[in-house]
Amino acid sequence: MNVTIYDVAREANVSMATVSRVVNGNPNVKPATRKKVLNTIERLGYRPNAVARGLASKKTTTVGVIIPDISSIFFSELARGIDDIATMYKYNIILSNSDQNKEKELRLINTMFEKQVDGLIYMGATIGEDHVQQLKTSPVPVALAATIDATETIPSVNIDYEQAAYEATSLLIENGTKHPIYVTGAEDSVVNERKYAGYVKAIKEANKEVNEEYVIKTEFSYESGVDAASKILNITDHPKAVFAATDEIALGVIHGLQDNGINVPEDMEVFGFDNTRLATMVRPTLSTVVQPMYDIGAVAMRLLTKFMNKETVEDQNVVLPHQIVKRNSTKQS
Amino acid sequence: MNVTIYDVAREANVSMATVSRVVNGNPNVKPATRKKVLNTIERLGYRPNAVARGLASKKTTTVGVIIPDISSIFFSELARGIDDIATMYKYNIILSNSDQNKEKELRLINTMFEKQVDGLIYMGATIGEDHVQQLKTSPVPVALAATIDATETIPSVNIDYEQAAYEATSLLIENGTKHPIYVTGAEDSVVNERKYAGYVKAIKEANKEVNEEYVIKTEFSYESGVDAASKILNITDHPKAVFAATDEIALGVIHGLQDNGINVPEDMEVFGFDNTRLATMVRPTLSTVVQPMYDIGAVAMRLLTKFMNKETVEDQNVVLPHQIVKRNSTKQS
DNA sequence: TTGAAAGCGCTAACAT
DNA sequence: ATGTTAGCGCTTTCAA
């Protein structure tokens, strides 16, 4: 058996309550007593049992994190932001991958509640009614990171996807391509919708009409980008600029283009989205939209701590600033 | 207040024990009773409290995972393998970043124990005596993933780093470069030592002598690779092949070389290590050592489940097979 | 400043 | 097949 608070109390000739007080830094303990207790804690090698503490106090100092895929360069960066702030506020993180699978997402949320997390950070493209339902009846605070629910009723941290996509597309248009091609995933999410909306807005502003042939819906992967490049090259008289919904797609497009003897950006320009570390790990380096993944995670966690502390929060839906960074996959303008 | 097992018992006219039995799938319950209980669980929206269960049963179905940096493409892949197998065995994961900081590592291990994890998976290059001490006196099973302690007394899952590095270097030598350059991090870890030993072995086999000028110790980052390329180019009459200790360094080297007008692999060859997703996301695609990160994580977790189940394990130090994959950053031989 | 004692919600003998 | 009853190790009133 392990040494318990009771053992310490007995050995130090004080009550459990006193030991508890010194362990928890309660100031109402005479220095001499504190010292005595601390000594026997040291001597016995006492280590508080967080589970027992959790049961008694109804706080686990643990937050749940549901993430689509931690091996994704995008989400792992977010997770890092979450964990750093969590650590700062003395929380630990239970991390689970959902693969954007609805059943699994719902099940995971429930598991997190069973484990009595003090709060939950949720990431996942498609938030249906059942998700919202389950999240809104949560016994603990919830925050969405880089995720938007249609009702916009759950606290969240994001950037202005529409505006960002609009700016990126506009830049390509200004650079001389009237109707850039858009390559994205065929995902049915609010974030994806907004990016598309921004693209459309820029196109309409310049051309009035959106040519569906120039919108390629595939998957959010490097390979899809490579494939998309071939498709693009097969379009007769294709536009000379491509806006990709993620950096990973953009990288694929660049390489797919290069594999076909096309020079980027001389022959064709490519613009990405996210500014993952990948963006500077290509030649030419990728012009892209800076989505501050780490910060989104960090701010989401910070927001959650406020809710957990029952602080009043001014704005539940945080919109972080984005940026446009021009590197070498687009022409200098 | 939440609904407890006691409420369910009362409403269903059975004892807590019976409710506990149906919740835990104990077969010793009359089907009719089970159904009745299940109904009232449903009706009351009862959700078992895992913390209370943990206190009573001394099992939390949670394992700790200490990782240097989840945002690293290498470790996040490992983490994914861990979580998948954990999920398969009904465990959840408490994930914490250590940044390879000794103080933090030691503190995290302790926190994991306080939280009463049922097991611990540890990753981290430098395992000193205090780590070994703390890990060996662990109250729960521990497994190292892609990590080696000098005493080799803690269960672990790895590949044969020395052999892998030897093979990679030899391949470069066979391709015509008598003494390839080695670019690695200045990290003081067993894994790093072994890779270096493999490199040295191959060099000695071909030349008898190792030229220290051809060993560049920097950091494990893309940027370091880029910088290393310049250094290499500054070496008079430098070798025409580079073996990098990680893919990320290799990518940097390739781009640094290309930025200086060098063609890969025509002018210089580059070989990586790990086979992260990065390897196929460069042009030319990267020849590299396949270290099965996902599998290492998965096997480590599987190993841990065996220990947690008190199964007897034949070999505590698992060595997974590696592979050499030739892509386009080396010449066809 | 300290102690006593009642839980927190559940599991696990032990009975029946 | 089901119920009774101790705890699990800690926090938290409430008293003193």
Side-chain angles (χ1 to χ4, degrees):
Chain A
M1 200 66 277
N2 240 305
V3 16
T4 74
I5 200 173
Y6 178 79
D7 301 320
V8 176
R10 182 170 31 73
E11 291 290 314
N13 291 312
V14 296
S15 69
M16 289 166 53
T18 298
V19 178
S20 176
R21 286 187 187 101
V22 344
V23 168
N24 293 295
N26 184 318
N28 286 359
V29 180
K30 195 161 56 176
T33 313
R34 176 183 309 281
K35 189 161 191 177
K36 183 173 60 175
V37 172
L38 250 16
N39 280 339
T40 93
I41 283 180
E42 173 84 359
R43 181 160 60 81
L44 302 187
Y46 168 69
R47 176 187 290 145
N49 180 325
V51 172
R53 173 182 292 176
L55 182 58
S57 69
K58 300 185 173 307
K59 299 215 160 307
T60 56
T61 60
T62 301
V63 311
V65 175
I66 295 176
I67 200 165
D69 179 11
I70 192 62
S71 70
S72 141
I73 197 162
F74 177 84
F75 288 115
S76 63
E77 189 75 29
L78 263 161
R80 191 45 150 107
I82 294 170
D83 188 46
D84 280 359
I85 304 303
T87 299
M88 189 174 297
Y89 285 87
K90 312 280 187 204
Y91 285 95
N92 284 106
I93 253 157
I94 297 188
L95 191 294
S96 282
N97 298 95
S98 70
D99 288 315
Q100 310 256 41
N101 174 115
K102 188 173 165 183
E103 309 289 305
K104 204 170 171 187
E105 287 170 338
L106 263 15
R107 187 155 33 77
L108 283 176
I109 295 175
N110 198 54
T111 302
M112 295 297 184
F113 293 160
E114 288 189 358
K115 296 242 166 164
Q116 311 297 121
V117 294
D118 293 338
L120 179 64
I121 295 206
Y122 184 94
M123 287 159 273
T126 316
I127 299 208
E129 275 180 38
D130 6 16
H131 289 90
V132 174
Q133 176 58 23
Q134 201 180 5
L135 257 17
K136 293 200 69 171
T137 59
S138 166
V140 294
V142 175
L144 306 179
T147 299
I148 302 178
D149 72 299
T151 71
E152 287 194 66
T153 162
I154 303 173
S156 66
V157 181
N158 292 283
I159 61 169
D160 185 337
Y161 295 102
E162 178 170 344
Q163 177 64 20
Y166 169 78
E167 290 171 16
T169 309
S170 297
L171 186 146
L172 255 15
I173 293 173
E174 280 167 29
N175 269 11
T177 303
K178 275 272 173 288
H179 193 321
I181 288 173
Y182 183 49
V183 183
T184 184
E187 182 182 84
D188 191 27
S189 72
V190 176
V191 170
N192 207 19
E193 276 169 17
R194 298 220 175 146
K195 286 184 186 173
Y196 182 63
Y199 166 76
V200 167
K201 184 179 168 199
I203 298 293
K204 288 201 171 160
E205 226 175 77
N207 317 270
K208 314 264 185 248
E209 283 289 331
V210 172
N211 183 343
E212 289 293 339
E213 196 187 7
Y214 296 162
V215 176
I216 300 181
K217 293 190 179 172
T218 169
E219 275 169 29
F220 289 109
S221 73
Y222 175 79
E223 289 73 22
S224 301
V226 175
D227 294 346
S230 303
K231 288 183 200 153
I232 292 168
L233 263 18
N234 278 333
I235 299 175
T236 26
D237 213 17
H238 62 261
K240 304 300 188 196
V242 180
F243 174 37
T246 68
D247 284 356
E248 202 161 332
I249 292 177
L251 243 67
V253 170
I254 289 179
H255 288 149
L257 254 20
Q258 291 174 338
D259 292 348
N260 281 285
I262 307 291
N263 285 319
V264 177
E266 296 79 2
D267 303 336
M268 285 193 71
E269 297 182 278
V270 178
F271 211 98
F273 202 113
D274 286 345
N275 195 37
T276 58
R277 284 187 306 130
L278 257 26
T280 52
M281 292 167 74
V282 226
R283 289 304 123 99
T285 53
L286 185 66
S287 295
T288 192
V289 172
V290 180
Q291 168 165 33
M293 287 94 66
Y294 180 92
D295 294 351
I296 290 178
V299 172
M301 185 62 214
R302 178 65 185 103
L303 186 62
L304 196 61
T305 63
K306 288 184 185 169
F307 286 122
M308 293 189 295
N309 288 336
K310 305 201 183 320
E311 294 175 33
T312 52
V313 173
E314 49 320 329
D315 190 2
Q316 311 222 152
N317 294 95
V318 181
V319 177
L320 257 27
H322 62 269
Q323 276 173 252
I324 297 291
V325 45
K326 298 185 206 175
R327 296 207 180 90
N328 301 322
S329 64
T330 50
K331 294 176 188 161
Q332 305 307 317
S333 52
Chain B
M1 200 64 278
N2 240 304
V3 14
T4 74
I5 201 174
Y6 178 78
D7 300 320
V8 176
R10 182 168 33 72
E11 291 289 313
N13 290 309
V14 296
S15 71
M16 289 166 56
T18 298
V19 177
S20 176
R21 287 189 187 98
V22 343
V23 168
N24 293 295
N26 184 317
N28 286 358
V29 179
K30 195 161 57 175
T33 313
R34 178 184 307 281
K35 189 162 189 178
K36 183 173 60 176
V37 172
L38 250 17
N39 280 339
T40 91
I41 282 179
E42 173 82 1
R43 181 160 61 81
L44 302 187
Y46 167 69
R47 176 187 290 144
N49 181 324
V51 173
R53 173 182 292 174
L55 183 58
S57 70
K58 300 185 172 305
K59 298 214 160 308
T60 55
T61 62
T62 301
V63 311
V65 175
I66 295 175
I67 200 165
D69 179 11
I70 192 62
S71 71
S72 142
I73 197 162
F74 177 83
F75 289 115
S76 62
E77 189 75 27
L78 263 161
R80 190 48 149 106
I82 294 170
D83 188 46
D84 279 359
I85 303 303
T87 299
M88 190 173 298
Y89 285 87
K90 313 281 187 203
Y91 285 96
N92 284 107
I93 253 158
I94 297 188
L95 192 293
S96 281
N97 298 93
S98 70
D99 289 315
Q100 309 257 40
N101 175 115
K102 187 173 168 181
E103 307 290 304
K104 204 171 172 188
E105 287 169 337
L106 263 14
R107 188 154 32 77
L108 283 177
I109 295 174
N110 197 53
T111 302
M112 295 296 183
F113 292 160
E114 287 190 358
K115 296 243 167 166
Q116 310 297 121
V117 294
D118 293 337
L120 179 64
I121 294 205
Y122 184 94
M123 286 160 273
T126 315
I127 299 207
E129 275 180 39
D130 6 15
H131 290 89
V132 174
Q133 176 58 23
Q134 200 179 6
L135 257 16
K136 293 200 69 171
T137 59
S138 165
V140 294
V142 176
L144 305 179
T147 299
I148 301 177
D149 73 298
T151 72
E152 286 193 67
T153 163
I154 303 173
S156 66
V157 180
N158 292 282
I159 62 170
D160 185 337
Y161 296 102
E162 178 170 345
Q163 177 63 20
Y166 169 77
E167 290 172 18
T169 309
S170 298
L171 186 145
L172 256 15
I173 293 174
E174 279 166 30
N175 268 12
T177 303
K178 275 273 174 290
H179 194 320
I181 289 173
Y182 182 49
V183 183
T184 185
E187 182 182 84
D188 190 27
S189 71
V190 176
V191 170
N192 207 18
E193 277 170 16
R194 299 220 175 146
K195 285 185 188 175
Y196 182 64
Y199 166 77
V200 167
K201 184 180 168 199
I203 298 293
K204 288 200 171 161
E205 227 173 75
N207 317 271
K208 315 262 186 249
E209 283 288 332
V210 172
N211 183 342
E212 289 293 340
E213 195 186 6
Y214 296 162
V215 176
I216 300 180
K217 293 190 181 173
T218 169
E219 276 169 30
F220 290 109
S221 72
Y222 174 80
E223 290 72 24
S224 300
V226 175
D227 294 346
S230 304
K231 288 182 200 153
I232 292 169
L233 263 16
N234 280 333
I235 300 175
T236 25
D237 214 17
H238 62 262
K240 304 300 187 196
V242 180
F243 174 37
T246 67
D247 284 356
E248 201 161 332
I249 292 178
L251 243 67
V253 170
I254 288 179
H255 288 148
L257 253 21
Q258 291 174 338
D259 292 350
N260 281 285
I262 307 291
N263 285 320
V264 178
E266 296 80 2
D267 304 336
M268 285 193 71
E269 298 181 277
V270 178
F271 211 97
F273 202 115
D274 287 344
N275 194 37
T276 58
R277 286 187 305 129
L278 257 27
T280 52
M281 292 167 73
V282 224
R283 291 301 124 100
T285 52
L286 185 66
S287 294
T288 192
V289 172
V290 180
Q291 168 165 34
M293 287 94 65
Y294 180 93
D295 294 351
I296 290 179
V299 172
M301 183 63 213
R302 177 67 185 101
L303 187 60
L304 196 61
T305 63
K306 289 183 185 169
F307 286 122
M308 294 189 295
N309 289 334
K310 305 199 185 317
E311 295 175 32
T312 53
V313 174
E314 50 322 329
D315 192 1
Q316 310 221 151
N317 293 94
V318 181
V319 177
L320 258 27
H322 62 269
Q323 274 172 253
I324 298 289
V325 44
K326 298 184 204 173
R327 295 206 181 87
N328 301 321
S329 64
T330 51
K331 295 176 188 163
Q332 305 308 317
S333 52

